[in-house]
Each structure stands twice: as C-alpha cells, then as structure tokens.
Amino acid sequence: MTRTETSSTGLPPNAAAALSYLAWWLSGLLFFLVERENRFVKFHAAQALVGLGTLWAVGLTFWVFAFAALFVSASAFKVLLYVAYGVWALGLIAWAVCLIRAWKGDEFELPWAGRIARRMAVKNGDGS
C-alpha cells in the first residue's frame, strides 16, 4: 500500500481504517457501508464490526444477566457484573491495539474476528 492512495471516503487508507475503530462497531459499520474501493479500509471496518461488536454484545449480555441475577443472588450479580466489566476491558485493549495498528498501516488481525473480517472485505471489496 502506498501512502498516496486514497479510499473512496477521500481519506488516506490508514486514517479511514483507524477511524473505522473510533466508535467501536458503530463506526466500523459506517465505514463498511461507505467504503467501496479500498480492501485495507474494508478489512478494518469489518474487523471493528465483527470483533469489537461481538465483545460489546458479550459484555452487554453479561451486564443484563447481572442485573437479572439481582433477583436471585447478590453474589451472582457481583460476579456477572465483574465478568461484564472484564469483557469490556478486554474490548478496550483490543480497540486501542487495532486503532493504533490501523493508523500505522498494519493489517493486524484479531485472533478469530480477523479471518471473518478478511472474508467480508474480499467478498464485498475489490479483492486486491
């Protein structure tokens, strides 16, 4: 990838890829829908959507279960709430790493979400 190329958003690819992580899965969805040409940007947008979206959803699920557990046990509430916070903390770490690596121009893959994102980018991108 050369630094002079642009994405269909009009931004340099590394900036568009980093911005696709800015608001977790929401910005990933936006850039995934808007980007038409650049596979690098499409990959990072898909990874934000799949990887960070999944971590957010899992954290939210534990959070909801924690508050449902209040009717059963205060201990269960506390454990589930800490698990939710742990998942979200893991998400913050993944978010920061992905954002920085995208800004640097790296195609860093999250362990399981990267493969899915790569397939999504090739399927919906130009395949280059």
Side-chain angles (χ1 to χ4, degrees), residues 43-120:
F43 164 74
H44 282 289
Q47 183 163 258
L49 185 59
V50 173
L52 299 180
T54 300
L55 286 170
W56 178 84
V58 168
L60 180 65
T61 301
F62 277 112
W63 187 79
V64 168
F65 284 150
F67 281 94
L70 266 176
F71 296 105
V72 179
S73 164
S75 297
F77 165 75
K78 192 180 278 189
V79 168
L80 289 169
L81 193 62
Y82 285 139
V83 170
Y85 290 155
V87 169
W88 284 333
L90 180 66
L92 278 175
I93 293 166
W95 169 79
V97 168
C98 288
L99 191 134
I100 291 167
R101 299 286 295 266
W103 181 256
K104 290 181 177 182
D106 296 338
E107 284 200 21
F108 172 75
E109 284 189 19
L110 290 172
W112 58 271
R115 291 188 306 268
I116 297 168
R118 183 136 346 259
R119 284 192 301 246
M120 290 171 65

